[in-house]
Amino acid sequence: MTTPVRRQYLHFKARHPDAILFFRLGDFYETFDEDAELVSRELGITLTSKPMGAGLRVPLAGVPVRNVDHHLARLIERGHRVAICEQLEDPRASRKLVRRGVVRVVSPGTALEPTLLEAGEPSACAAVHVERERRRLRIGLASADVTTGRFQVCELIQTAADSDPSELWELLRDQLQRFGVRELLVSDGFGSDESGDPAPPPDLGIEPHPRPARDFRRDRAEAALQSQYSAPAAAFGLDERPATLSAVGALLAYLNDALPQLEDELESQYSSFRHLEAPQLVIPEARLQWDAATERALALVDTGPGAGSPGMPRTLFDVLDRCASVLGRRWLRAALLSPLLDQARIERRLDRIEALLRRQPLRRSLAAELRDIPDLERLLGRAATGIASPADLAALARGLIAAGELTSQIERAVDQAGEDVLVSLVEPMRRVPESARLLAQTLVERPPAEYGQGVIRAGIDAAVDRAAARIDAANERLAKLESQLRGESGINNLKVGYHRTFGHYIELRRGQARLAPEGWERRQSLRDRERYSEPRLREIAEELTAAQIALAEAERECVEQLRVALVGDSGIILRSAGAIARLDAACALADLAADHAWTRPQIEVSGELEIAAGRHPVVEAAAAQGAFVPNDLQLSDDGLHAPQLLLVTGPNMAGKSTYLRQAALIVILAQMGAYVPAESARIGLVDRIFARVGAHDDLAAGRSTFLVEMLETARLLHGATDRSLILLDEIGRGTSTWDGLAIAQAVAEELASESSRPRRGPRTLFATHFHELTALAGAMPRIANAAVEVEEDEQGKIQFLHSIRPGAADRSYGVQVAAQAGIPAGVVARAAELLRELESGDRNARAGKRSRRSLSGRRSAATPQLMLMPPPTHPVLQDLAELDIDGMTPLEAISALYALRDQAQRELRTIAPDVAAGGGS
């Protein structure tokens, strides 16, 4: 026969079999059985055992309640889910089994504790549902960030039945990253089509969590939406997006499971995700898009661990982030990852920055005020789910009041200028919910962490005041009893104290134990102390305990009414938080523009890209003052007054990659609505950016460096439109010289060909070491050359000027770069000698040819690249060298000449038929 506690534990564990059950026992959350073994292993804590009746001992591992967030963080980081089983009543007030219930399930996508979250980053839970429709894939995605209330949905559809579905999976992966998804829900059988044939396993960058297929049923989704928002699917436009509707239903079902209703009665302090906003439809095509390879190449928000120097900016976000509040930081990150294609919205964001740029005193004043604004979104999330402490609620109320006061400050500052761009921005902050004002008036200025310790001001609530008066009276009786006990026992230094486990006690020194009256009951023995109890002390202690329980209940009930009212105003609170975030981000971007002379870009719906004196924001921030060399750029999608494709040549380390990347970063900044690091910028809206930059492999998927390079190149060739921007850096260098040169030229021809694109094409920056490709500029009107300037002194040392000029580079300076990198002098000298031999052999081989192929039309061939070893002597040249001209008669010389000609023509017909056909005499 097991104990009642054991039976209670097994009951809740059966309801949450896939989660670790944290079972509250006093001051500890205990785990049992397999959970205890797992927790002991993962957290490195001691595994013990506990008797549970009938000779049964079960494994036991526990963590203190006061340190639970730290342990939760470690378990969640390792991908576990934890069900929190709380005590729903004070054990001191119960004389039977304490009532308990699972109040929530914590997972990577439902965590609300600050220690489990990154302050400036989203933390979303998402569901994905895949359907096949006439051999095409339709993917529904629903994403909810329960910490902020943001709910986003989108639907991705395969363009054609015969198109590559991998592009759709890649788009889904990008969208998951932009939403900040930490937990992904999928249906059982995810990864297979309806016929049961396995589909290629999509790598979505996150391990999916299977859920029952019934959760994805549309009728359940309809019911879930009705329950959450009191509105049908049609009200959100989801009736026409069945895959997305299924994903929404599964997500809402999972979130409801994460906050289960308690069995005996629904305790009001444990609420639900009622603060979730209505699902917002996101159309990926309405934002500037890029793939994972491009984001990695551009280092927008993360460069991986260990990159960069301490204290130096590593990403574009590091440079931009001057926000004073967490709200602004999170909004700025989202804006950076989702630049706009809507010219009017971009201009509105730029107008805000311009207005703040002209008002430095206002910017500084706002920054000081915004620094004190807490994370209203996440505080609301904690309040809505019932886990907010009194301190959390007080911070939320004070933050809303402070936000309301900001509007007056802005109105006074811009009143004379007559500008309403800032006033309209902060309009949602003007209305402070009455519930917030009442909450601020009710709670003490710095509330303690728990109820029953004085969280409410005196005179606010009669029940609270009565319970507080009872506690004061009991404490006075306790003080009087201590004085009385000293007089009765003659022990002047005895004291009355309290222990959480043993309760109130009378404490004496060990040597005074013989003086204790006979009526005292020994409770605890310490190393040098003895602790006792006696009837009068027990009576007062019981009264004090009852008063403290009454105070905690009265305070909780009083605050609970205000919490419910505050959550009812969640729409107002979220709009106010959004306005604060946009204001803070605008201040940060204006401050950055003022300090570093960034300018307002000119946004157009065109195919132009014109940048004057552009700079790379991250490289410039890390460089010494004034050390960065700015460069111009002009591209046009029609190639008329500016090239469509710019071939950039020059040595390594000279700045080609920086030049390419800064163009993309300036476009992203402009379309997110920020000023840009340039003297001027004219940006024709870009729909997609493709960056094939850097070498990396994917060994886990069996992909070599070159295969990854070709896959990324294929993706951009298939996905680029006339409005895209393409960055290609050293394409073809991962294979043999001839293969690489052929691939690079074919790609360049395809991107800039007038026959395949009679009017327009993607604007392209193409950096290469294949100098032979520079001949394309003379054969294809849409292509132009540019080179990085280099100075070389008499000793052969080179200096990179980092300046881009028109024209082609004459060489790569590889040997000089190797010398400056510290390659041993002997190796450098030998390399220089071999280079001279190779170049000489190449010139002789080319001079010995009667003719060579020329660039003609779209499919033109390039001059051969230098080979690694000198070419063997051609048979014709060998025969010519062996002729004894001095010993030959004129007739013999003519015959030999004809024989050499015939032999040369046969060779040419073998290697170049078109050339041979053109010359017979």
Side-chain angles (χ1 to χ4, degrees):
M1 187 68 179
T2 59
T3 64
V5 169
R6 174 69 174 172
R7 290 195 296 271
Q8 192 181 47
Y9 168 82
L10 292 175
H11 168 76
F12 291 118
K13 181 60 183 175
R15 295 175 67 92
H16 300 278
D18 59 344
I20 301 170
L21 185 64
F22 270 25
F23 190 76
R24 178 78 178 265
L25 285 174
D27 294 334
F28 280 79
Y29 286 114
E30 302 288 6
T31 60
F32 300 98
D33 306 319
E34 293 84 359
D35 283 356
E37 295 171 353
L38 188 151
V39 167
S40 173
R41 184 171 59 252
E42 293 282 26
L43 302 182
I45 60 179
T46 303
L47 181 68
T48 61
S49 63
K50 184 178 180 68
M52 286 292 184
L56 176 67
R57 295 190 70 91
V58 297
L60 168 71
V63 298
V65 171
R66 64 174 64 92
N67 295 330
V68 68
D69 286 1
H70 168 70
H71 298 293
L72 273 178
R74 294 179 62 185
L75 291 172
I76 299 306
E77 183 182 357
R78 288 165 169 78
H80 299 295
R81 303 169 70 244
V82 180
I84 307 294
C85 185
E86 275 291 351
Q87 296 173 164
L88 301 180
E89 59 185 349
D90 194 316
R92 297 175 297 178
S94 177
R95 298 189 181 276
K96 55 183 180 179
L97 182 64
V98 174
R99 190 161 59 94
R100 293 180 174 87
V102 173
V103 297
R104 63 195 185 98
V105 180
V106 185
S107 66
T110 62
L112 292 157
E113 290 77 3
T115 53
L116 277 63
L117 304 169
E118 290 291 336
E121 298 182 10
S123 179
C125 184
V128 166
H129 184 63
V130 182
E131 293 185 354
R132 286 194 175 274
E133 182 183 84
R134 298 179 182 177
R135 296 176 55 207
R136 293 197 307 174
L137 284 180
R138 182 186 291 267
I139 302 178
L141 170 62
S143 170
D145 188 338
V146 298
T147 70
T148 64
R150 192 165 193 184
F151 198 167
Q152 301 176 96
V153 300
C154 72
E155 191 152 293
L156 311 174
I157 304 174
Q158 191 175 348
T159 55
D162 57 350
S163 63
D164 186 358
S166 64
E167 295 183 12
L168 200 65
W169 292 120
E170 185 68 28
L171 184 58
L172 174 61
R173 176 184 175 132
D174 297 341
Q175 207 60 51
L176 292 173
Q177 185 173 9
R178 294 192 184 201
F179 286 166
V181 173
R182 294 185 62 196
E183 186 174 12
L184 180 63
L185 314 175
V186 297
S187 175
D188 288 334
F190 176 76
S192 298
D193 60 21
E194 292 179 352
S195 67
D197 297 326
D203 177 15
L204 300 178
I206 183 172
E207 186 69 25
H209 178 58
R211 297 288 293 170
R214 64 177 180 272
D215 286 356
F216 291 82
R217 283 170 37 187
R218 291 174 197 165
D219 58 338
R220 287 186 169 230
E222 287 274 8
L225 283 168
Q226 191 70 41
S227 174
Q228 180 76 19
Y229 300 106
S230 301
F236 310 103
L238 295 176
D239 54 328
E240 300 176 354
R241 295 178 170 83
T244 303
L245 176 60
S246 296
V248 168
L251 179 59
L252 289 176
Y254 184 75
L255 295 180
N256 284 331
D257 287 346
L259 284 177
Q261 292 190 356
L262 305 179
E263 289 183 338
D264 297 338
E265 61 184 78
L266 181 60
E267 295 284 335
S268 59
Q269 71 261 30
Y270 299 111
S271 189
S272 62
F273 295 114
R274 290 294 174 185
H275 66 298
L276 282 182
E277 296 179 305
Q280 176 189 5
L281 180 63
V282 173
I283 302 176
E285 295 78 10
R287 305 292 177 106
L288 171 57
Q289 299 179 66
W290 53 75
D291 56 18
T294 300
E295 183 165 321
R296 181 174 57 249
L298 298 179
L300 299 178
V301 295
D302 184 22
T303 56
S309 303
M312 289 293 184
R314 303 188 306 175
T315 66
L316 180 58
F317 182 67
D318 291 340
V319 175
L320 301 181
D321 184 16
R322 294 190 173 194
C323 294
S325 71
V326 174
L327 292 168
R329 188 170 300 116
R330 200 160 49 238
W331 186 91
L332 184 65
R333 184 184 187 277
L336 173 60
L337 291 178
S338 296
L340 305 173
L341 291 178
D342 187 327
Q343 184 179 5
R345 292 182 64 190
I346 295 172
E347 295 292 356
R348 280 199 299 272
R349 292 183 181 182
L350 293 171
D351 288 343
R352 297 172 197 158
I353 297 173
E354 184 175 350
L356 289 164
L357 194 60
R358 292 197 295 264
R359 296 176 176 83
Q360 184 184 46
L362 176 62
R363 284 204 321 271
R364 290 180 175 175
S365 175
L366 290 174
E369 297 291 337
L370 289 167
R371 211 165 281 121
D372 295 329
I373 301 289
D375 193 340
L376 301 180
E377 291 174 335
R378 288 189 170 169
L379 286 172
L380 175 62
R382 292 171 64 79
T385 53
I387 68 170
S389 68
D392 290 336
L393 295 173
L396 177 57
R398 289 197 303 269
L400 290 169
I401 293 171
E405 294 170 352
L406 279 175
T407 58
S408 301
Q409 183 179 348
I410 291 173
E411 288 172 348
R412 289 193 300 270
V414 302
D415 182 52
Q416 295 181 350
E419 292 181 337
D420 61 356
V421 61
L422 296 179
V423 175
S424 61
L425 171 63
V426 299
E427 180 64 30
M429 298 158 50
R430 183 190 305 277
R431 183 183 171 191
V432 179
E434 186 61 26
S435 54
R437 297 188 188 277
L438 289 174
L439 198 55
Q441 294 168 3
T442 299
L443 296 173
V444 297
E445 186 173 352
R446 296 185 180 277
E450 298 180 1
Y451 293 104
Q453 298 179 0
V455 304
I456 293 178
R457 302 175 191 267
I460 297 294
D461 184 88
V464 170
D465 290 343
R466 285 195 298 270
R470 288 174 59 191
I471 291 175
D472 291 341
N475 283 326
E476 289 180 9
R477 289 179 59 195
L478 206 58
K480 289 179 181 179
L481 178 61
E482 182 180 62
S483 178
Q484 187 176 351
L485 290 172
R486 286 176 180 175
E488 293 175 352
S489 65
I491 305 172
N492 293 328
N493 60 351
L494 73 74
K495 65 178 182 180
V496 174
Y498 175 76
H499 188 275
R500 290 178 63 93
T501 301
F502 297 98
H504 287 85
Y505 57 79
I506 305 166
E507 185 174 88
L508 307 178
R509 291 179 181 174
R510 175 63 62 86
Q512 298 171 324
R514 57 184 175 80
L515 302 176
E518 292 184 3
W520 290 11
E521 176 187 349
R522 179 179 278 108
R523 297 293 305 277
Q524 188 181 16
S525 294
L526 304 179
R527 183 175 59 84
D528 60 347
R529 306 275 176 176
E530 293 287 346
R531 291 177 175 175
Y532 301 86
S533 183
E534 62 98 49
R536 289 169 294 178
L537 179 61
R538 286 194 290 270
E539 179 186 348
I540 297 174
E542 290 176 1
E543 171 60 24
L544 186 58
T545 298
Q548 288 171 338
I549 292 172
L551 177 62
E553 291 176 352
E555 287 185 335
R556 181 178 286 110
E557 183 178 351
C558 179
V559 174
E560 178 63 15
Q561 295 175 0
L562 296 174
R563 182 194 71 84
V564 171
L566 191 64
V567 173
D569 290 323
S570 59
I572 300 172
I573 296 172
L574 290 175
R575 286 192 293 274
S576 181
I580 293 169
R582 285 184 278 273
L583 175 63
D584 190 11
C587 286
L589 294 174
D591 199 48
L592 182 66
D595 286 351
H596 296 287
W598 289 18
T599 58
R600 177 169 180 156
Q602 178 183 339
I603 307 297
E604 301 177 351
V605 182
S606 72
E608 307 302 314
L609 179 57
E610 183 178 324
I611 300 170
R615 288 120 50 201
H616 190 297
V618 182
V619 177
E620 183 184 37
Q625 184 72 24
F628 191 90
V629 178
N631 281 293
D632 299 338
L633 172 64
Q634 277 191 288
L635 292 174
S636 177
D637 64 349
D638 56 14
L640 294 178
H641 59 281
Q644 178 207 322
L645 187 150
L646 188 65
L647 274 168
V648 186
T649 51
N652 282 322
M653 302 296 295
K656 299 193 303 296
S657 294
T658 298
Y659 182 63
L660 267 63
R661 287 177 168 96
Q662 78 184 33
L665 294 182
I666 288 173
V667 167
I668 289 172
L669 285 169
Q671 293 188 210
M672 70 173 280
Y675 277 37
V676 299
E679 286 186 1
S680 65
R682 183 175 165 223
I683 309 295
L685 289 172
V686 173
D687 63 352
R688 295 201 68 173
I689 295 178
F690 296 91
R692 164 81 283 283
V693 178
H696 64 280
D697 54 34
D698 186 1
L699 297 180
R703 296 171 177 174
S704 67
T705 300
F706 180 65
L707 179 56
V708 170
E709 177 183 336
M710 291 299 98
L711 289 171
E712 293 175 359
T713 303
R715 189 175 298 126
L716 70 89
L717 288 174
H718 286 298
T721 71
D722 297 343
R723 298 176 65 189
S724 299
L725 175 64
I726 294 177
L727 313 179
L728 288 170
D729 191 9
E730 304 299 349
I731 187 174
R733 300 294 288 184
T735 185
S736 69
T737 302
W738 296 111
D739 282 353
L741 176 56
I743 291 170
Q745 179 171 329
V747 169
E749 289 176 347
E750 172 66 21
L751 290 172
S753 170
E754 292 183 274
S755 59
S756 63
R757 289 184 171 87
R759 290 192 300 272
R760 302 182 186 280
R763 290 156 284 184
T764 305
L765 285 168
F766 196 121
T768 183
H769 273 99
F770 292 129
H771 294 164
E772 291 78 5
L773 294 182
T774 58
L776 290 171
M780 302 185 71
R782 292 188 176 189
I783 297 179
N785 287 324
V788 186
E789 287 192 281
V790 178
E791 281 187 351
E792 184 177 10
D793 61 18
E794 295 178 356
Q795 288 75 35
K797 291 186 177 181
I798 58 174
Q799 179 181 357
F800 301 131
L801 302 182
H802 304 294
S803 179
I804 308 295
R805 58 170 175 80
D810 57 350
R811 51 188 169 137
S812 295
Y813 295 95
V815 174
Q816 290 87 339
V817 172
Q820 294 186 193
I823 296 293
V827 176
V828 172
R830 176 59 177 157
E833 178 184 354
L834 289 171
L835 179 62
R836 286 191 295 271
E837 293 177 6
L838 291 168
E839 290 177 336
S840 175
D842 183 64
R843 284 193 298 270
N844 291 338
R846 284 186 281 115
K849 288 186 177 180
R850 187 170 183 270
S851 63
R852 63 182 181 181
R853 298 179 66 187
S854 61
L855 292 165
S856 60
R858 178 169 178 267
R859 298 296 179 191
S860 51
T863 303
Q865 170 78 342
L866 296 178
M867 291 185 286
L868 297 178
M869 295 297 293
T873 304
H874 195 278
V876 175
L877 297 178
Q878 185 69 32
D879 292 346
L880 181 61
E882 292 175 358
L883 288 178
D884 183 10
I885 297 177
D886 294 333
M888 296 173 67
T889 65
L891 183 59
E892 290 173 337
I894 292 175
S895 298
L897 181 60
Y898 274 103
L900 288 170
R901 185 200 66 179
D902 293 339
Q903 184 180 355
Q905 287 182 343
R906 286 194 299 273
E907 293 289 338
L908 285 173
R909 277 194 293 272
T910 301
I911 63 174
D914 55 334
V915 175
S921 60

